[in-house]
């Protein structure tokens, strides 16, 4: 009974949030910028066509760097806006749990990002037309990118719950995401090699969004990588819940 | 029944609400009064489960808000201060969202929304975006949200704030009609509202309850309660006052104002239990004063309010 109620509540909040994305110009601006940025990186900087390879590496490698600025922008309004409007008082006095509210909001934003990601499909068709790419790898990479987006989003929703200011939320989550990406970047790891114990190097690299993302985009859909992203999301959403429970007053 | 038990809220060092207890039975409309910053909204936020109390609790229809919050919240309707609404939705969309949260299926939802929209006079703006509504309409939309699921317990934080006089009247009527089967707690700064709708009033100041009584009983605490006000056609003022003061049932008589046609006088009785209007009329008629109007003061809530909370 409780679970059915929860699902119904999550569904109601999900619908409202998703509707509110598309009811405002923000969504369309976001989609356009997302596609333009990805296109710019992939074709102008990544030399997608010049590489003469019918694969998607030059495309997906840019995703983390586009996400790092755009996803905090999507997430920053999730709770901050409710606080500003005072609707948080409504939401938290409805007969729903904090988890219902967080999941509804999170899933709506994630779904929105999924839609944005799907709008990049023309690129897949172009490559299919030009060459003979490995579609299995492309599929894996899309799954990986979607999971990565969810992980970024969970960080963003957490910072959004922690502050009333959307600007602070944005900056905090960019910095946090940057840290989570960079911890797997070769220069960072190189600086650890030599002096740090192997387990620490390993741990830091394991923590990184990037390490797991790269292995997925190579076409290896490992259960451990999926588990990693799932646990990142669960962790940050849980922290969000704790923050909201404790910050109800202001 | 809404039972508030020793509820306390500290914000840092400041005690916003200090050991407040009261209860609201079904059929009652409790008016919650107090100066700005007295802690009315804070108390209501604790009762509705928005903020956790530092100590004490509230029990709504048998469910403790700190222990079984969801069950308690299911039985409640809440209109928060400043009537928060989602500006990017239409009135219909917003109420549809609230009805989903309240667990109604599609068919029930349609009926409920239709009913509520009619009751709250929102038909004209049903498909209008909330961001384009005036303040009074937004207030009504949020009010509609709170009664949508026909809850047994209602908490209204300044329900008539921003409404025009006609709408104030309508909302008060609605609240009175609903009160038969419900327990209602409302906060307000409009003392007329307390007199016209509330069966009981709790006054708080600086987080503590300073009065808990019916509006009529509160009025008896007014200094003018039981005094008789008369208007007499212009005559010798000195003579008039001395006639009144000579009566043994009169404690004091004072001229309130004077114009070309009338003198207004307020007369305080010696003892509240003995009616003096009759004696005054006889005494004045004997001396050929012409009484043009006379009424007995019930007392003024605003005066009592000031006396208690300052
Ligand atoms: N989140 C908060 N943090 C710190 N202090 C707070 C907070 N919320 C309220 N207060 C303080 O608690 C006190 C009571 O506030 P409350 O809003 O309950 O007053 P009120 O009786 O509703 O006043 P009003 O008539 O103006 O609506 C005020 O002094 C206020 O400044
Ligand atoms: Mg208030």
């Amino acid at each position: 009974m409780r679970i059915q109620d929860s699902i119904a509540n999550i569904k109601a909040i999900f619908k409202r949030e998703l509707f509110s994305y598309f009811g405002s110009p923000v969504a369309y601006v976001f989609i356009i910028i997302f596609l333009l940025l990805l296109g710019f990186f992939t074709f102008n900087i990544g030399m997608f066509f010049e590489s003469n390879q019918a694969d998607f590496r030059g495309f997906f490698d840019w995703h983390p760097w586009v996400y790092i600025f755009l996803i905090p922008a999507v997430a920053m309004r999730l709770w901050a806006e409710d606080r500003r409007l005072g609707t948080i008082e409504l939401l938290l006095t409805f007969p729903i749990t904090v988890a219902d509210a967080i999941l509804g909001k999170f899933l709506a934003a994630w779904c929105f990002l999924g839609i944005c990601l799907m709008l990049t499909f023309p690129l897949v068709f172009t490559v299919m037309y030009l060459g003979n790419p490995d579609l299995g790898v492309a599929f894996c990479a899309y799954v990986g990118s979607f999971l990565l987006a969810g992980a970024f989003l969970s960080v963003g929703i957490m910072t959004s719950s922690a502050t009333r200011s959307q600007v602070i939320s944005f900056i905090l989550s960019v910095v946090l995401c940057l840290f989570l990406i960079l911890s797997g970047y070769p220069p960072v790891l190189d600086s650890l090699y030599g002096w740090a114990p192997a387990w620490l190097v390993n741990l830091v690299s394991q923590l990184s969004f990037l390490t797991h993302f790269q292995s997925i985009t190579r076409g290896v859909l490992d259960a451990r990588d999926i588990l990693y992203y799932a646990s990142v999301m669960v962790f940050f959403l849980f922290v969000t819940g704790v923050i909201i429970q404790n910050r109800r007053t202001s | 029944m809404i039972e508030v038990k020793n509820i306390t809220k500290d914000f840092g060092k400041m005690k916003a609400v200090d050991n407040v207890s009261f209860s609201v039975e079904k059929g009652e409309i409790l008016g919650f009064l107090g100066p700005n910053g007295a802690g009315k909204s804070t108390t209501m936020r604790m009762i509705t489960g928005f903020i956790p109390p530092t100590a004490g609790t509230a029990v709504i229809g048998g469910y403790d808000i700190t222990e079984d919050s969801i069950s308690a919240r299911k039985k409640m309707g809440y209109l928060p201060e400043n009537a928060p609404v989602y500006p990017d939705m239409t009135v219909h969309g917003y109420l549809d969202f609230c009805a989903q949260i309240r667990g109604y299926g599609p068919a029930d939802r349609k009926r409920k929304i239709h009913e509520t929209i009619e009751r709250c006079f929102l038909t004209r703006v049903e498909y209008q975006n909330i961001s384009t509504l005036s303040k009074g309409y937004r207030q009504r939309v949020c009010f509609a949200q709170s009664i949508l699921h026909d809850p047994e317990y209602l908490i209204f934080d300044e329900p008539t704030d921003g409404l025009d006089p006609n709408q104030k009247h309508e909302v008060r009527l609605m609240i009175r009609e609903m009160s038969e089967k419900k327990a209602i707690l409302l906060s307000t700064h409009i003392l007329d509202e307390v007199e016209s709708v509330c069966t009981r009033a709790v006054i708080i100041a600086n987080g503590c309850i300073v009065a808990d009584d019916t509006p009529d009983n509160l009025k008896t605490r007014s200094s003018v309660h039981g005094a008789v006000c008369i208007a007499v056609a212009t005559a010798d003022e000195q003579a008039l006052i001395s006639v009144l003061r000579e009566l043994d049932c009169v404690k004091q008589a004072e001229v309130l104002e004077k114009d070309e046609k009338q003198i207004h006088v307020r007369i305080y009785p010696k003892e509240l239990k003995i009616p003096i209007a009759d004696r005054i009329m006889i005494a004045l008629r004997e001396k050929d004063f012409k009484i043009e109007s006379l009424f007995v003061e019930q007392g003024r809530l605003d005066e009592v309010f000031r006396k208690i909370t300052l």
Side-chain angles (χ1 to χ4, degrees), chain A residues 1-13:
Chain A
M1 203 55 218
R2 264 287 153 81
I3 289 184
Q4 274 168 1
D5 284 352
S6 268
I7 290 173
N9 295 336
I10 292 171
K11 209 171 106 193
I13 292 172

Side-chain angles (χ1 to χ4, degrees), chain B residues 188-212:
Chain B
T188 179
H189 288 300
I190 309 166
L191 295 167
D192 293 343
E193 195 160 287
V194 179
E195 289 184 52
S196 65
V197 298
C198 296
T199 55
R200 225 174 86 217
V202 167
I203 303 182
I204 68 169
N206 297 319
C208 302
I209 293 190
V210 287
D212 179 350

Side-chain angles (χ1 to χ4, degrees), chain A residues 2 5 9 12-13 15-16 19-20 82 85-97 248-249, chain B residues 9 11 45 48-51 70 73-74 78 80 84-89 94 97-98 100-102 145:
Chain A
R2 264 287 153 81
D5 284 352
N9 295 336
I13 292 172
K15 276 204 311 217
R16 200 211 79 74
F19 174 86
S20 97
D82 269 294
L85 292 171
T87 40
I88 191 167
E89 190 163 350
L90 217 55
L91 207 54
L92 296 184
T93 54
F94 279 147
I96 61 174
T97 62
R248 292 189 148 199
T249 46
Chain B
K9 182 77 201 175
F11 289 116
R45 286 181 175 145
T48 51
F50 178 54
I51 55 182
I70 304 276
R73 282 188 257 161
K74 272 192 182 144
Y78 177 38
V85 282
Y86 287 105
D88 53 6
M89 303 178 97
Y94 175 74
F97 167 64
C98 298
Q100 284 175 41
I101 291 278
R102 298 293 177 181
Q145 166 274 129

Side-chain angles (χ1 to χ4, degrees), chain A residues 149-208:
Chain A
F152 274 105
L153 191 63
S154 64
V155 173
I157 199 171
M158 179 193 81
T159 61
S160 168
S161 71
T163 164
R164 176 187 291 271
S165 152
Q166 305 204 3
V167 178
I168 295 178
S169 160
F170 177 81
I171 295 171
L172 275 182
S173 82
V174 169
V175 169
L176 254 174
C177 291
L178 194 64
F179 171 76
L180 284 167
I181 286 188
L182 286 185
S183 68
Y185 212 50
V188 176
L189 291 180
D190 286 347
S191 71
L192 288 177
Y193 283 130
W195 64 271
W199 63 266
L200 186 66
V201 178
N202 213 355
L203 184 77
V204 170
S205 81
Q206 285 303 309
L207 258 184
S208 165

Side-chain angles (χ1 to χ4, degrees), chain B residues 12 14 21 31 36 52 56 64 92 97 107 136 178 194 196 202 239 252 277 281-282 288 297 310:
Chain B
M14 197 200 60
S21 307
N36 291 128
D64 190 313
H92 186 96
F97 167 64
M178 287 188 303
V194 179
S196 65
V202 167
Q252 176 64 286
M281 285 206 305
I282 294 166
D288 284 335
E297 292 259 20
L310 273 184

Side-chain angles (χ1 to χ4, degrees), chain B residues 223-228 242-253 266-277 279-280:
Chain B
S223 61
V224 296
H225 173 71
V228 174
S242 61
V243 168
L244 290 171
R245 286 197 180 146
E246 268 160 28
L247 287 170
D248 57 0
C249 59
V250 170
K251 187 166 92 189
Q252 176 64 286
R266 186 187 286 145
I267 305 139
Y268 297 90
K270 264 216 179 82
E271 264 185 79
L272 277 178
K273 288 186 201 95
I274 307 164
I276 56 171
R279 311 258 319 258
I280 290 170

